[in-house]
Short mmCIF file of all heavy atoms in Angstrom, two decimals:
data_model
loop_
_atom_site.label_atom_id
_atom_site.label_comp_id
_atom_site.label_asym_id
_atom_site.label_seq_id
_atom_site.Cartn_x
_atom_site.Cartn_y
_atom_site.Cartn_z
N THR A 105 -106.74 88.60 -121.00
CA THR A 105 -105.66 89.24 -121.65
C THR A 105 -104.61 89.62 -120.60
O THR A 105 -104.99 90.16 -119.54
CB THR A 105 -106.12 90.53 -122.44
OG1 THR A 105 -107.15 90.20 -123.33
CG2 THR A 105 -104.94 91.18 -123.13
N VAL A 106 -103.36 89.38 -120.91
CA VAL A 106 -102.30 89.74 -119.97
C VAL A 106 -101.75 91.13 -120.37
O VAL A 106 -101.26 91.30 -121.52
CB VAL A 106 -101.19 88.69 -120.00
CG1 VAL A 106 -100.06 89.07 -119.07
CG2 VAL A 106 -101.76 87.34 -119.55
N LEU A 107 -101.77 92.01 -119.47
CA LEU A 107 -101.24 93.38 -119.67
C LEU A 107 -99.95 93.59 -118.88
O LEU A 107 -99.81 93.03 -117.79
CB LEU A 107 -102.31 94.47 -119.28
CG LEU A 107 -103.63 94.30 -120.02
CD1 LEU A 107 -104.58 95.39 -119.46
CD2 LEU A 107 -103.49 94.48 -121.51
N GLU A 108 -99.13 94.45 -119.37
CA GLU A 108 -97.96 94.84 -118.58
C GLU A 108 -98.41 95.71 -117.44
O GLU A 108 -99.39 96.41 -117.43
CB GLU A 108 -96.97 95.66 -119.44
CG GLU A 108 -96.35 94.89 -120.59
CD GLU A 108 -95.47 93.74 -120.06
OE1 GLU A 108 -94.83 93.91 -119.01
OE2 GLU A 108 -95.49 92.62 -120.60
N ARG A 109 -97.61 95.64 -116.28
CA ARG A 109 -97.93 96.42 -115.13
C ARG A 109 -97.92 97.90 -115.50
O ARG A 109 -96.97 98.38 -116.06
CB ARG A 109 -96.89 96.13 -114.07
CG ARG A 109 -97.12 97.12 -112.81
CD ARG A 109 -96.18 96.66 -111.65
NE ARG A 109 -94.74 96.82 -112.08
CZ ARG A 109 -94.12 97.99 -112.04
NH1 ARG A 109 -94.69 99.05 -111.60
NH2 ARG A 109 -92.84 98.06 -112.45
N PRO A 110 -99.03 98.60 -115.27
CA PRO A 110 -99.10 99.99 -115.56
C PRO A 110 -98.04 100.86 -114.81
O PRO A 110 -97.80 100.65 -113.70
CB PRO A 110 -100.47 100.43 -115.24
CG PRO A 110 -100.86 99.46 -114.19
CD PRO A 110 -100.21 98.21 -114.53
N GLU A 111 -97.45 101.81 -115.56
CA GLU A 111 -96.47 102.71 -114.90
C GLU A 111 -97.21 103.73 -114.19
O GLU A 111 -98.28 104.18 -114.56
CB GLU A 111 -95.56 103.36 -115.95
CG GLU A 111 -94.63 102.32 -116.64
CD GLU A 111 -93.70 103.02 -117.52
OE1 GLU A 111 -93.70 104.28 -117.57
OE2 GLU A 111 -92.97 102.33 -118.25
N VAL A 112 -96.62 104.21 -113.13
CA VAL A 112 -97.05 105.38 -112.31
C VAL A 112 -96.50 106.62 -112.91
O VAL A 112 -95.24 106.84 -112.67
CB VAL A 112 -96.77 105.23 -110.82
CG1 VAL A 112 -97.33 106.43 -110.09
CG2 VAL A 112 -97.38 103.94 -110.26
N VAL A 113 -97.22 107.39 -113.63
CA VAL A 113 -96.64 108.57 -114.27
C VAL A 113 -96.78 109.74 -113.31
O VAL A 113 -97.83 110.14 -112.87
CB VAL A 113 -97.43 108.83 -115.63
CG1 VAL A 113 -96.88 110.04 -116.28
CG2 VAL A 113 -97.36 107.64 -116.53
N VAL A 114 -95.64 110.38 -113.10
CA VAL A 114 -95.68 111.60 -112.25
C VAL A 114 -95.08 112.82 -112.96
O VAL A 114 -95.03 113.89 -112.35
CB VAL A 114 -94.82 111.35 -110.99
CG1 VAL A 114 -95.45 110.21 -110.16
CG2 VAL A 114 -93.40 110.97 -111.30
N ARG A 115 -94.77 112.71 -114.19
CA ARG A 115 -94.25 113.82 -114.95
C ARG A 115 -95.11 114.00 -116.21
O ARG A 115 -95.45 113.01 -116.88
CB ARG A 115 -92.80 113.72 -115.36
CG ARG A 115 -91.82 113.84 -114.18
CD ARG A 115 -90.43 113.84 -114.69
NE ARG A 115 -89.50 113.91 -113.70
CZ ARG A 115 -88.97 115.00 -113.14
NH1 ARG A 115 -89.46 116.15 -113.56
NH2 ARG A 115 -88.06 114.95 -112.19
N SER A 116 -95.46 115.20 -116.55
CA SER A 116 -96.15 115.47 -117.78
C SER A 116 -95.18 115.50 -118.95
O SER A 116 -93.96 115.50 -118.70
CB SER A 116 -97.00 116.76 -117.65
OG SER A 116 -96.09 117.89 -117.55
N ALA A 117 -95.68 115.63 -120.11
CA ALA A 117 -94.80 115.62 -121.30
C ALA A 117 -93.88 116.78 -121.31
O ALA A 117 -92.76 116.68 -121.82
CB ALA A 117 -95.66 115.60 -122.54
N SER A 118 -94.28 117.97 -120.73
CA SER A 118 -93.38 119.10 -120.68
C SER A 118 -92.26 118.96 -119.73
O SER A 118 -91.41 119.86 -119.64
CB SER A 118 -94.21 120.34 -120.35
OG SER A 118 -94.80 120.27 -119.11
N GLY A 119 -92.28 117.98 -118.85
CA GLY A 119 -91.26 117.83 -117.83
C GLY A 119 -91.64 118.35 -116.47
O GLY A 119 -90.91 118.19 -115.52
N ALA A 120 -92.85 118.90 -116.34
CA ALA A 120 -93.35 119.39 -115.05
C ALA A 120 -94.13 118.36 -114.30
O ALA A 120 -94.58 117.37 -114.93
CB ALA A 120 -94.24 120.67 -115.29
N ARG A 121 -94.11 118.47 -113.04
CA ARG A 121 -94.89 117.53 -112.23
C ARG A 121 -96.35 117.53 -112.55
O ARG A 121 -96.93 118.53 -112.83
CB ARG A 121 -94.74 117.85 -110.76
CG ARG A 121 -93.29 117.55 -110.21
CD ARG A 121 -92.94 116.08 -110.21
NE ARG A 121 -91.71 115.84 -109.54
CZ ARG A 121 -91.04 114.72 -109.64
NH1 ARG A 121 -91.50 113.73 -110.38
NH2 ARG A 121 -89.90 114.59 -108.98
N ASP A 122 -96.91 116.35 -112.59
CA ASP A 122 -98.39 116.19 -112.85
C ASP A 122 -98.97 115.30 -111.82
O ASP A 122 -99.50 114.25 -112.10
CB ASP A 122 -98.57 115.66 -114.30
CG ASP A 122 -100.06 115.76 -114.73
OD1 ASP A 122 -100.81 116.43 -114.02
OD2 ASP A 122 -100.44 115.03 -115.64
N VAL A 123 -98.78 115.67 -110.54
CA VAL A 123 -99.21 114.86 -109.45
C VAL A 123 -100.23 115.67 -108.60
O VAL A 123 -99.92 116.83 -108.27
CB VAL A 123 -98.04 114.46 -108.54
CG1 VAL A 123 -98.48 113.60 -107.37
CG2 VAL A 123 -97.04 113.70 -109.39
N PRO A 124 -101.43 115.10 -108.26
CA PRO A 124 -102.36 115.85 -107.43
C PRO A 124 -101.83 115.96 -105.98
O PRO A 124 -101.10 115.12 -105.47
CB PRO A 124 -103.62 114.97 -107.52
CG PRO A 124 -103.04 113.62 -107.73
CD PRO A 124 -101.86 113.78 -108.65
N ASP A 125 -102.30 116.95 -105.28
CA ASP A 125 -101.97 117.09 -103.90
C ASP A 125 -102.65 116.04 -103.03
O ASP A 125 -103.73 115.61 -103.37
CB ASP A 125 -102.41 118.46 -103.37
CG ASP A 125 -101.59 119.62 -103.96
OD1 ASP A 125 -100.43 119.37 -104.40
OD2 ASP A 125 -102.09 120.80 -103.98
N GLY A 126 -101.99 115.57 -102.00
CA GLY A 126 -102.52 114.63 -101.08
C GLY A 126 -103.63 115.19 -100.29
O GLY A 126 -103.79 116.45 -100.23
N PRO A 127 -104.48 114.43 -99.63
CA PRO A 127 -105.62 114.97 -98.86
C PRO A 127 -105.22 115.59 -97.54
O PRO A 127 -106.08 116.22 -96.90
CB PRO A 127 -106.45 113.71 -98.63
CG PRO A 127 -105.47 112.57 -98.62
CD PRO A 127 -104.38 113.02 -99.66
N GLY A 128 -104.00 115.42 -97.10
CA GLY A 128 -103.60 115.93 -95.82
C GLY A 128 -103.29 114.79 -94.87
O GLY A 128 -103.46 113.59 -95.20
N ALA A 129 -102.91 115.12 -93.64
CA ALA A 129 -102.46 114.13 -92.70
C ALA A 129 -103.60 113.08 -92.35
O ALA A 129 -103.38 111.94 -92.09
CB ALA A 129 -101.92 114.74 -91.37
N HIS A 130 -104.87 113.59 -92.38
CA HIS A 130 -105.97 112.71 -91.95
C HIS A 130 -106.22 111.68 -93.09
O HIS A 130 -106.92 110.66 -92.84
CB HIS A 130 -107.22 113.53 -91.75
CG HIS A 130 -107.61 114.36 -92.94
ND1 HIS A 130 -108.41 113.88 -93.95
CD2 HIS A 130 -107.42 115.70 -93.15
CE1 HIS A 130 -108.58 114.85 -94.86
NE2 HIS A 130 -108.01 115.97 -94.37
N GLY A 131 -105.80 111.87 -94.27
CA GLY A 131 -105.91 110.89 -95.36
C GLY A 131 -107.32 110.55 -95.74
O GLY A 131 -107.67 109.61 -96.33
N GLY A 132 -108.23 111.50 -95.42
CA GLY A 132 -109.70 111.29 -95.79
C GLY A 132 -110.42 110.44 -94.69
O GLY A 132 -111.61 110.18 -94.82
N ASP A 133 -109.71 110.15 -93.58
CA ASP A 133 -110.37 109.29 -92.50
C ASP A 133 -111.06 110.30 -91.55
O ASP A 133 -110.51 111.29 -91.15
CB ASP A 133 -109.31 108.54 -91.76
CG ASP A 133 -109.87 107.73 -90.67
OD1 ASP A 133 -110.39 106.63 -90.90
OD2 ASP A 133 -109.81 108.23 -89.46
N GLU A 134 -112.31 109.96 -91.23
CA GLU A 134 -113.13 110.89 -90.45
C GLU A 134 -112.53 111.02 -89.02
O GLU A 134 -112.50 112.08 -88.46
CB GLU A 134 -114.58 110.41 -90.32
CG GLU A 134 -115.37 110.54 -91.61
CD GLU A 134 -116.80 110.17 -91.46
OE1 GLU A 134 -117.24 109.93 -90.30
OE2 GLU A 134 -117.48 110.08 -92.43
N GLN A 135 -112.10 109.95 -88.46
CA GLN A 135 -111.55 110.00 -87.12
C GLN A 135 -110.21 110.72 -87.14
O GLN A 135 -109.86 111.54 -86.21
CB GLN A 135 -111.33 108.65 -86.54
CG GLN A 135 -111.06 108.56 -85.01
CD GLN A 135 -111.18 107.17 -84.41
OE1 GLN A 135 -111.33 106.21 -85.11
NE2 GLN A 135 -111.17 107.16 -83.08
N GLY A 136 -109.44 110.54 -88.16
CA GLY A 136 -108.16 111.28 -88.34
C GLY A 136 -108.42 112.78 -88.43
O GLY A 136 -107.70 113.55 -87.82
N ASP A 137 -109.47 113.08 -89.23
CA ASP A 137 -109.77 114.55 -89.35
C ASP A 137 -110.24 115.11 -88.04
O ASP A 137 -109.91 116.25 -87.79
CB ASP A 137 -110.87 114.65 -90.38
CG ASP A 137 -111.21 116.11 -90.65
OD1 ASP A 137 -110.38 116.93 -91.08
OD2 ASP A 137 -112.40 116.46 -90.46
N LEU A 138 -110.93 114.35 -87.27
CA LEU A 138 -111.41 114.82 -85.98
C LEU A 138 -110.16 115.13 -85.06
O LEU A 138 -110.14 116.19 -84.44
CB LEU A 138 -112.28 113.83 -85.29
CG LEU A 138 -112.73 114.06 -83.79
CD1 LEU A 138 -113.54 115.39 -83.71
CD2 LEU A 138 -113.49 112.90 -83.19
N TYR A 139 -109.22 114.22 -85.02
CA TYR A 139 -107.98 114.46 -84.23
C TYR A 139 -107.25 115.65 -84.79
O TYR A 139 -106.61 116.44 -83.98
CB TYR A 139 -107.06 113.25 -84.22
CG TYR A 139 -107.56 112.17 -83.20
CD1 TYR A 139 -108.15 110.90 -83.58
CD2 TYR A 139 -107.35 112.46 -81.82
CE1 TYR A 139 -108.51 110.00 -82.67
CE2 TYR A 139 -107.82 111.50 -80.89
CZ TYR A 139 -108.38 110.27 -81.28
OH TYR A 139 -108.76 109.36 -80.37
N GLY A 140 -107.26 115.87 -86.09
CA GLY A 140 -106.57 117.00 -86.68
C GLY A 140 -107.17 118.31 -86.20
O GLY A 140 -106.48 119.31 -85.92
N ARG A 141 -108.55 118.35 -86.16
CA ARG A 141 -109.21 119.55 -85.73
C ARG A 141 -109.05 119.78 -84.31
O ARG A 141 -108.87 120.92 -83.81
CB ARG A 141 -110.69 119.42 -86.06
CG ARG A 141 -110.96 119.62 -87.54
CD ARG A 141 -112.42 119.70 -87.95
NE ARG A 141 -113.11 118.32 -87.99
CZ ARG A 141 -114.02 117.89 -87.19
NH1 ARG A 141 -114.42 118.64 -86.18
NH2 ARG A 141 -114.43 116.66 -87.37
N ILE A 142 -108.96 118.72 -83.50
CA ILE A 142 -108.63 118.85 -82.01
C ILE A 142 -107.24 119.45 -81.88
O ILE A 142 -106.96 120.31 -81.05
CB ILE A 142 -108.82 117.50 -81.32
CG1 ILE A 142 -110.22 117.09 -81.27
CG2 ILE A 142 -108.19 117.58 -79.95
CD1 ILE A 142 -110.48 115.65 -80.73
N ALA A 143 -106.27 118.94 -82.70
CA ALA A 143 -104.87 119.39 -82.64
C ALA A 143 -104.76 120.86 -82.94
O ALA A 143 -104.05 121.58 -82.25
CB ALA A 143 -104.03 118.55 -83.64
N VAL A 144 -105.52 121.32 -83.92
CA VAL A 144 -105.50 122.76 -84.27
C VAL A 144 -106.08 123.55 -83.14
O VAL A 144 -105.58 124.62 -82.78
CB VAL A 144 -106.27 122.99 -85.56
CG1 VAL A 144 -106.45 124.49 -85.80
CG2 VAL A 144 -105.57 122.36 -86.77
N SER A 145 -107.19 123.10 -82.49
CA SER A 145 -107.77 123.79 -81.42
C SER A 145 -106.81 123.82 -80.22
O SER A 145 -106.69 124.97 -79.54
CB SER A 145 -109.07 123.04 -80.93
OG SER A 145 -110.00 123.05 -81.98
N LEU A 146 -106.11 122.84 -79.98
CA LEU A 146 -105.07 122.85 -78.86
C LEU A 146 -103.92 123.75 -79.22
O LEU A 146 -103.36 124.41 -78.37
CB LEU A 146 -104.58 121.41 -78.64
CG LEU A 146 -105.56 120.48 -77.95
CD1 LEU A 146 -105.07 119.04 -77.97
CD2 LEU A 146 -105.87 120.91 -76.49
N THR A 147 -103.56 123.81 -80.54
CA THR A 147 -102.47 124.72 -81.00
C THR A 147 -102.90 126.15 -80.70
O THR A 147 -102.16 127.01 -80.29
CB THR A 147 -102.16 124.46 -82.44
OG1 THR A 147 -101.80 123.07 -82.57
CG2 THR A 147 -101.01 125.37 -82.87
N VAL A 148 -104.19 126.46 -81.02
CA VAL A 148 -104.72 127.85 -80.73
C VAL A 148 -104.61 128.13 -79.28
O VAL A 148 -104.13 129.26 -78.89
CB VAL A 148 -106.13 127.97 -81.28
CG1 VAL A 148 -106.71 129.30 -80.86
CG2 VAL A 148 -106.15 127.84 -82.79
N LEU A 149 -105.06 127.18 -78.41
CA LEU A 149 -104.99 127.46 -77.02
C LEU A 149 -103.63 127.59 -76.48
O LEU A 149 -103.28 128.55 -75.73
CB LEU A 149 -105.75 126.26 -76.31
CG LEU A 149 -105.64 126.32 -74.75
CD1 LEU A 149 -106.39 127.57 -74.23
CD2 LEU A 149 -106.26 125.10 -74.19
N ALA A 150 -102.72 126.76 -76.94
CA ALA A 150 -101.28 126.92 -76.56
C ALA A 150 -100.68 128.18 -76.98
O ALA A 150 -99.90 128.86 -76.22
CB ALA A 150 -100.48 125.74 -77.12
N PHE A 151 -101.04 128.61 -78.22
CA PHE A 151 -100.56 129.93 -78.72
C PHE A 151 -101.03 131.07 -77.82
O PHE A 151 -100.27 131.96 -77.48
CB PHE A 151 -101.08 130.09 -80.15
CG PHE A 151 -100.98 131.53 -80.67
CD1 PHE A 151 -99.73 131.99 -81.11
CD2 PHE A 151 -102.10 132.36 -80.73
CE1 PHE A 151 -99.59 133.31 -81.56
CE2 PHE A 151 -101.95 133.69 -81.24
CZ PHE A 151 -100.70 134.14 -81.69
N LEU A 152 -102.30 131.06 -77.46
CA LEU A 152 -102.83 132.18 -76.61
C LEU A 152 -102.13 132.12 -75.22
O LEU A 152 -101.88 133.20 -74.70
CB LEU A 152 -104.34 131.99 -76.44
CG LEU A 152 -105.13 132.19 -77.71
CD1 LEU A 152 -106.59 131.93 -77.48
CD2 LEU A 152 -104.98 133.60 -78.26
N VAL A 153 -101.94 130.90 -74.66
CA VAL A 153 -101.23 130.84 -73.37
C VAL A 153 -99.77 131.34 -73.45
O VAL A 153 -99.37 132.15 -72.63
CB VAL A 153 -101.31 129.44 -72.84
CG1 VAL A 153 -100.47 129.29 -71.58
CG2 VAL A 153 -102.74 128.98 -72.56
N GLU A 154 -99.14 130.93 -74.53
CA GLU A 154 -97.73 131.35 -74.73
C GLU A 154 -97.66 132.87 -74.94
O GLU A 154 -96.74 133.57 -74.37
CB GLU A 154 -97.06 130.65 -75.87
CG GLU A 154 -95.60 130.97 -76.05
CD GLU A 154 -94.92 130.28 -77.18
OE1 GLU A 154 -95.63 129.69 -78.03
OE2 GLU A 154 -93.70 130.34 -77.31
N LEU A 155 -98.60 133.41 -75.73
CA LEU A 155 -98.64 134.90 -76.02
C LEU A 155 -98.84 135.61 -74.69
O LEU A 155 -98.21 136.63 -74.43
CB LEU A 155 -99.77 135.18 -76.99
CG LEU A 155 -99.96 136.63 -77.30
CD1 LEU A 155 -98.74 137.28 -77.94
CD2 LEU A 155 -101.19 136.78 -78.22
N SER A 156 -99.71 135.08 -73.82
CA SER A 156 -99.96 135.72 -72.53
C SER A 156 -98.65 135.64 -71.68
O SER A 156 -98.37 136.63 -70.97
CB SER A 156 -101.05 134.96 -71.70
OG SER A 156 -102.25 135.02 -72.49
N GLY A 157 -97.84 134.56 -71.77
CA GLY A 157 -96.58 134.51 -71.14
C GLY A 157 -95.61 135.57 -71.58
O GLY A 157 -94.86 136.14 -70.82
N VAL A 158 -95.56 135.75 -72.91
CA VAL A 158 -94.67 136.81 -73.50
C VAL A 158 -95.13 138.17 -72.97
O VAL A 158 -94.27 139.02 -72.71
CB VAL A 158 -94.74 136.72 -74.99
CG1 VAL A 158 -93.98 137.84 -75.64
CG2 VAL A 158 -94.14 135.40 -75.49
#
Side-chain angles (χ1 to χ4, degrees):
T105 302
V106 178
L107 303 177
E108 293 297 322
R109 176 174 60 84
E111 294 184 5
V112 180
V113 180
V114 295
R115 289 185 182 273
S116 63
S118 63
R121 291 293 188 193
D122 188 17
V123 180
D125 290 338
H130 58 82
D133 180 82
E134 291 185 6
Q135 194 167 9
D137 182 60
L138 173 62
Y139 278 111
R141 287 187 278 114
I142 292 174
V144 171
S145 298
L146 288 170
T147 304
V148 172
L149 176 60
F151 166 77
L152 294 175
V153 173
E154 186 182 10
L155 178 61
S156 300
V158 173

